[in-house]
Amino acid sequence: MDTQAKIYVAGHTGLVGSAIMRVLNRNGYTHICTRERSQLDLRNQQAVHEFFEQEKPEYVFLAAAKVGGIHANNTYPAEFIYDNLMIQSNIIHAAYVHKVKKLLFLGSSCIYPKMSPQPIKEEYLLTGLLEPTNEAYAIAKIAGLEMCKFYRRQYGCDFISAMPTNLYGINDNFDLNTSHVLPALIRKFHEAKVNQQDEVVLWGTGKPLREFLFVDDLADSLVFLMNHYSEEIHVNIGTGEDISIYDLALTIQEVVGYKGKIVYDSSKPDGTPRKLLNVGRLHQSGWKHKISLQEGITTVYNWYLKQQISQ
Ligand code: GFB
């Protein structure tokens, strides 16, 4: 991408989109176009078509999506499949019609089979049944990456897909009903510390293993892929290391400085036992993450504290 190129970041206020904006700005990209949700409903095909007609972006980062943690995915599957299928189909098709030079679609590591061999290679897609708690979201994301593949095959579009592992960072969602585990734990431990609670209740058994990537690292990898990757197969993006929810909780507890007890509510779902990505393809293409989990959690907790003060 030329630094003068016109770039559309779909989902620019979200966790991923806002990180892409930071990385683009830092790297001297000045011609970025965005729309607020109130101005453009990406589920509306006509509105998306008109937006592309008017703005004619050359590059598109498709980071707009309906996302959430295990509880939200499990509770609102109709919304997760509808919103995501509509948003991504409208943008991918409009990018083809309006001759976008390159588009990068973002999926998720939950696209892989629940019982996939570990670490998960890109080739393991569609080799087994999905994890039920996020099946609706995963089906939508699989459709998106397959759509990019088929538009490349039939129309010659330079559309690529990236599959990030579990993400966290600033601008994350801290709502305890809809968030992912990492921001939920920051909030739970922080509030327990402030309110001098004896214990904090976490979901599931603590046994599942998850891989976490700081979202600024992800955004850096996406700009890298936009500039250097152009293949049909999607690329896994992660650190190549995972941690149990039990150990993650101890790490966050320490960063926050909470001294009480941790209790697990096993009536809540665990989700996939493990989803560690094989990041060989990403490393071979020349990119590796920089921010450690400890460093990332500390950054997010400091940001969270500032938000609390400014509220
Ligand atoms: O991050 P998370 O919500 O989603 O949960 P997934 C990860 C693990 O943390 C699960 C446990 O085993 C949860 O039971 N956990 C413990 C908690 N305490 C909490 C808590 O207070 N809040 C939350 N949220 N979890 C999502 C998918 O799966 O991963 C999405 O639902 C997406 O589709 C995303 O792919 C990356 O890692 O299980």
Side-chain angles (χ1 to χ4, degrees):
M1 287 184 297
D2 192 275
T3 49
Q4 299 305 308
K6 188 160 193 181
I7 304 167
Y8 171 44
V9 179
H12 71 290
T13 55
L15 173 70
V16 173
S18 61
I20 295 173
M21 298 288 285
R22 287 195 291 280
V23 170
L24 288 175
N25 286 327
R26 212 182 302 141
N27 287 287
Y29 293 96
T30 49
H31 207 178
I32 302 168
C33 69
T34 57
R35 285 292 183 282
E36 299 298 327
R37 196 178 293 205
S38 57
Q39 299 172 297
L40 174 61
D41 181 353
L42 294 170
R43 296 169 304 180
N44 180 329
Q45 186 182 35
Q46 185 63 26
V48 172
H49 180 80
E50 283 167 10
F51 165 73
F52 273 78
E53 176 94 30
Q54 191 189 335
E55 290 287 353
K56 301 212 179 313
E58 296 171 81
Y59 295 88
V60 174
F61 288 90
L62 208 179
K66 181 173 180 68
V67 298
I70 192 165
H71 179 70
N73 268 271
N74 210 12
T75 314
Y76 311 109
E79 291 174 36
F80 274 81
I81 195 159
Y82 177 78
D83 287 3
N84 286 306
L85 282 175
M86 295 305 286
I87 292 169
Q88 67 203 33
S89 300
N90 289 340
I91 294 179
I92 294 168
H93 190 69
Y96 153 62
V97 171
H98 296 281
K99 301 189 170 44
V100 161
K101 282 188 187 157
K102 192 161 184 172
L103 174 144
L104 192 159
F105 172 72
L106 271 150
S108 160
S109 59
C110 70
I111 61 164
Y112 294 110
K114 174 174 180 152
M115 293 306 178
S116 172
Q118 309 280 325
I120 311 170
K121 287 188 174 166
E122 287 86 352
E123 290 80 2
Y124 299 164
L125 181 70
L126 295 174
T127 56
L129 294 176
L130 296 165
E131 154 61 30
T133 55
N134 56 35
E135 197 177 355
Y137 179 71
I139 295 271
K141 288 295 182 186
I142 293 169
L145 80 90
E146 293 288 321
M147 200 164 157
C148 288
K149 178 176 96 180
F150 292 126
Y151 274 54
R152 170 180 289 274
R153 229 179 250 181
Q154 186 178 340
Y155 303 135
C157 299
D158 194 358
F159 293 173
I160 58 171
S161 299
M163 295 305 123
T165 190
N166 285 40
L167 301 169
Y168 69 100
I170 65 171
N171 291 326
D172 211 338
N173 169 17
F174 288 82
D175 178 311
L176 294 180
N177 281 317
T178 55
S179 64
H180 290 98
V181 62
L182 202 147
L185 267 51
I186 288 182
R187 180 170 174 177
K188 284 183 175 179
F189 285 124
H190 175 74
E191 289 182 353
K193 180 175 124 177
V194 171
N195 301 325
Q196 299 181 340
Q197 282 166 226
D198 294 340
E199 59 178 43
V200 162
V201 180
L202 305 185
W203 299 349
T205 61
K207 288 183 190 151
L209 293 155
R210 293 289 183 273
E211 177 186 7
F212 295 95
L213 180 70
F214 192 66
V215 76
D216 287 60
D217 264 343
L218 170 79
D220 190 61
S221 77
L222 298 178
V223 173
F224 175 85
L225 290 176
M226 197 61 126
N227 281 315
H228 299 285
Y229 189 81
S230 195
E231 305 289 329
E232 185 174 286
I233 192 156
H234 58 281
V235 190
N236 287 341
I237 308 187
T239 62
E241 295 154 24
D242 59 5
I243 180 171
S244 69
I245 298 302
Y246 181 90
D247 286 334
L248 175 76
L250 293 179
T251 308
I252 298 177
Q253 181 182 26
E254 201 188 313
V255 170
V256 172
Y258 172 67
K259 305 278 181 240
K261 223 169 78 184
I262 300 174
V263 175
Y264 283 92
D265 173 3
S266 57
S267 70
K268 295 282 196 304
D270 266 345
T272 307
R274 192 180 188 197
K275 46 178 172 181
L276 176 65
L277 294 177
N278 180 313
V279 285
R281 180 170 270 108
L282 180 66
H283 287 179
Q284 271 160 26
S285 75
W287 189 91
K288 201 169 183 296
H289 78 284
K290 295 183 193 73
I291 301 157
S292 72
L293 185 58
Q294 178 86 27
E295 196 186 340
I297 291 171
T298 306
T299 303
V300 178
Y301 183 51
N302 288 334
W303 177 83
Y304 177 79
L305 287 176
K306 275 196 203 131
Q307 297 297 111
Q308 297 303 106
I309 294 163
S310 65
Q311 267 170 17

